[in-house]
Amino acid sequence: MISPSFSDAPGLQELARLSLQIERDRELDWSALHERDAAIGSACVACESPSQRLLCWLDRAEPAGTDHLDALPAGIGPLLSAVMVALGFSVMVGFLLAHPTGQVNLLWFLALFVFIQIFMVLLSSAGLLRLALGRDVGAQWLQPGRWLFRRSPWAARLLRESSDLVQLMVLHQGQLLGAAFMAGALMAFLLTLFANPFSFAWGSTYALGEDVVNSMVQFLSAPWSGWLSAAAVDPQLVADSRVHAGSPGPSAEQALRSGRWWPFLLMVLISYTLLPRLFLWLVSGGLLRHRLLHSFTNYPGADLVLLRLAQAALETRGEAEPLNTPQQAADIKVSPGTKFADASLVNWGDAVARDEFPSFAELQGLGSQPLLLAGLSLIGDEEALQSISAATAPMVLILLKSWEPPMADLADFIDEAARVAPCILLLRPLRGQMISREIQEDWRRFAAQRPGTPAIGLLTECAGIGDQP
Amino acid sequence: MTVPGFAVVGRPNKGKSSIVATLARDDRVYIDKLSGTTRRTQRFPMKVGQETLYVLHDTPGMQRARAVLGWLEANAGDAASRPAAVRRFLEVHRNDPRFQDECQMLEPIVAGAGIIYVVDGSCPYGAEYEPEMEILRWTGNPSLALINPIHNEHFVEDWRAGLGQYFQTVRVFNAQHAEFRKQLELLELFGHLDPDWREPLDRAVNALCREREEQHRSCATLIAAMIVESLGHCEIQPLLDALPESAQKDALLGRYRSSLVKAERRSRTQIEAVFHYTRLQRQEASMELDGEDLFNVENWYLWGLDRKALLTVATTSGAVVGGGAGLAVDAMTGGLLGGLGTLVSGIGGAVVGGAGALRYADDLADIKVKGLPTGGKRLTAGPSTNLNFPFVLLGRALQHHKLLARRTHAHRDVLHLDSALLETIDEGDRKALGRLFTRISRGRQVARQQAELATIVNRYMARADLVIKSS
């Protein structure tokens, strides 16, 4: 496994490009692949980390004119963030200005802008934890960003191959959008406060006692109450902000006091919604970066690319397409019943010793004829040719080892002997074995090229001989 | 320093080209049962990058050894002048068609190449070999003799005794069946012929070892990719009102199966290319591996997991869906149905669409009929959720790889997938594979699962070579 380096970070798009290029390379010839990558390797020698080398390789290995994978439109991120800022701003303004009496329901405010956001942050944290542990996030359909992401073809490829990365990417971007929403809401909160001061109140609609609200407020302000008392809420303010159903509106003094909620609410918004979102955004960004690097350098086949980049191509095959010279063989066989009684007998290469004659059906009865030894020395060949010439037999019978190939020096001998009489080649099998069709074919081909060789035949072992080991 | 060269010499048809094809890993080398098909010396350089570490020369067989020896004897004064006489022979007869083969053979030797003399150990030793061995001795070059037992080893000992008279080193090397380790040993032996050749030959051996490891890793990656592709594959087509639904389903299923076969065949070709086999496909035109054989019911459990192993894996991977019924049927009948239960029900589950007959025709994947928002219906075949299917693919792929890894480039017979290989995979890995396949089928972090799959597969591939020398 390759350890990632943080000095360089490929994106999801590069991961998809890597995936495509490795798939393309499967169709390439092994040697061509090695030659190409060895050349690229020398060009990318300055790249230190594996991911840098892979990126360098990717830029050079992709075929010229490759239509680069279409990413999401370049400005989509900032645009979405701007939309979320505007949305947060609008929702907050709408919420605050929706109270004609200038009295804003504190509990609704907390529910909408704090508790729901905290819930979302907790959900995101749980998702991030699952992803950090290497598991997929369930309920993917709940992530709206994924739908947008899915529209990109390269991203769709990644959805199958690296769903965890895509989820992490969506989660990471989701935190930014959540933070943008809260930033817009905060801006609206501050601007509305200055433009149109209003008071906060809470009622008894939900049967909440002062103690409960007070405890909740104290709990929420606990992180800063010690060092930022201006943003802490005292029990009196909680009591003063309570309104009862059917009671007349707040007095001017009460309204003034309840207006003091805003430092607390500002801190709550920042501490429980904006900062956690930003924190999650940073953490998910770091994790995404780490995972991307890991996935990039450990993508199936990436290790082989790195190997090819690092080592020279190896070639062992021939320099040119090897040649062959197969030739057609003529069908020339000794006619059955051919008599060899008057033939000159040549024992080529000591193929058959005289005492072996009785072992072969074709040689029986030839035991008394002179046996000329040839094929071992040039002098022996010369003497045999002289004997053939002197004998003037009607044919020359040449006994051969079928397992040895027909050679040119035999051809020379036959060409000389054939001036006296036609030559018949008799092939001796290896003891206990048949002469294969290929060997017969080889000898027939040889005989067909010799005008003085009208036929070849096979020696047949007599019964019992072939059974010997 | 000059590049070490090795001339592979000997009589025609005694396996010279086979040895060259094996060592050069070149299945383009023409190997014929007919003799004398090599008429010109061919060079096979072993290059690492731009550097040539050694060169093999495939030479024609000597045709007129006695005549050559006669000329040499007539033109050499004493033993010291013999190498010069050989050189002179070459100069004099270079353009003589009568000694064309001899000159082709002597050319690299006179240039300094080591001699690798090849004989066939399945044929008897004969005195007619002695003139050519004598000529080779006259050259004075480093030499060794290889006994290549083409059909059997009946005469190996005779040859050992005969060759020992002329060559200091005699080895038996079966070019058709020499495993990778033997090939490396032979190359190391070449390096020992001359002290100057040792270093480049050692480097060559190390480079080959490195490449071998890379080959296994590449194959593992390719096989993992093929399995992932096959598991995720599906075929989709609109359901036409004008045609019977069952016919459309059959056609779609046929297309689906055909795509899987193509994916497997493509992967085979890629793996063969990794092992430098460029012509295997052509030679395998009639091999069993092809076509619908992938869906051969009889071999399903041979290539994949048997029923018992499948049940074990299924219970640990959480993948038993639908076809579990078939497994249960198999288990209850003690396998008497030959796995028919699993095959007909399919682990993929019930066939959706109402055509009950398809339940028995489709054992691999679901056929689904889905309504479209724009109106009309759509048929979908796949992806497969049959748990044994990826094991079948893996079993076949591993066997194909094993056959290739143990094959030499001189071997020209067809490949046969006829043994159960997954039996060698231990139970822990089977379970891990089952879990991986399940996750891949569900489309979860596929790249990660693919990488893990390749790692496991690679472990078993390296076993195809019993030894990988450390680089």
Side-chain angles (χ1 to χ4, degrees), chain B residues 372-402:
Chain B
L372 294 170
T374 50
K377 288 180 177 175
R378 194 174 62 181
L379 273 179
T380 308
S384 173
T385 46
N386 186 323
L387 181 60
N388 208 11
F389 177 58
F391 279 104
V392 168
L393 288 175
L394 177 62
R396 285 161 61 87
L398 280 178
Q399 203 188 341
H400 177 246
H401 166 270
K402 183 180 149 189

Side-chain angles (χ1 to χ4, degrees), chain A residues 72-212:
Chain A
L72 292 172
I76 192 84
L79 181 70
L80 276 175
S81 298
V83 167
M84 290 307 283
V85 168
L87 187 67
F89 191 91
S90 309
V91 170
M92 181 60 90
V93 167
F95 180 80
L96 292 178
L97 298 183
H99 297 82
T101 58
Q103 209 169 33
V104 176
N105 189 319
L106 185 69
L107 294 179
W108 273 109
F109 182 93
L110 287 174
L112 191 62
F113 292 103
V114 180
F115 294 133
I116 288 180
Q117 297 302 318
I118 288 176
F119 178 70
M120 299 289 277
V121 165
L122 286 176
L123 268 186
S124 300
S125 304
L128 191 60
L129 190 65
R130 278 186 71 85
L131 288 168
L133 293 173
R135 297 178 190 156
D136 277 352
V137 175
Q140 290 165 12
W141 53 272
L142 278 175
Q143 304 168 41
R146 195 170 184 272
W147 301 336
L148 185 69
F149 200 74
R150 194 174 207 148
R151 296 180 68 83
S152 166
W154 62 265
R157 181 187 189 87
L158 287 177
L159 275 176
R160 174 167 162 75
E161 291 188 343
S162 308
S163 51
D164 57 332
L165 281 179
V166 175
Q167 288 166 10
L168 195 53
M169 168 81 171
V170 169
L171 195 138
H172 174 62
Q173 290 302 322
Q175 304 318 303
L176 192 63
L177 297 181
F181 177 87
M182 285 318 300
L186 267 171
M187 278 192 286
F189 182 72
L190 291 171
L191 283 174
T192 314
L193 191 71
F194 287 118
N196 183 22
F198 44 80
S199 60
F200 290 92
W202 60 280
S204 55
T205 315
Y206 304 109
L208 290 176
E210 283 181 20
D211 291 346
V212 174

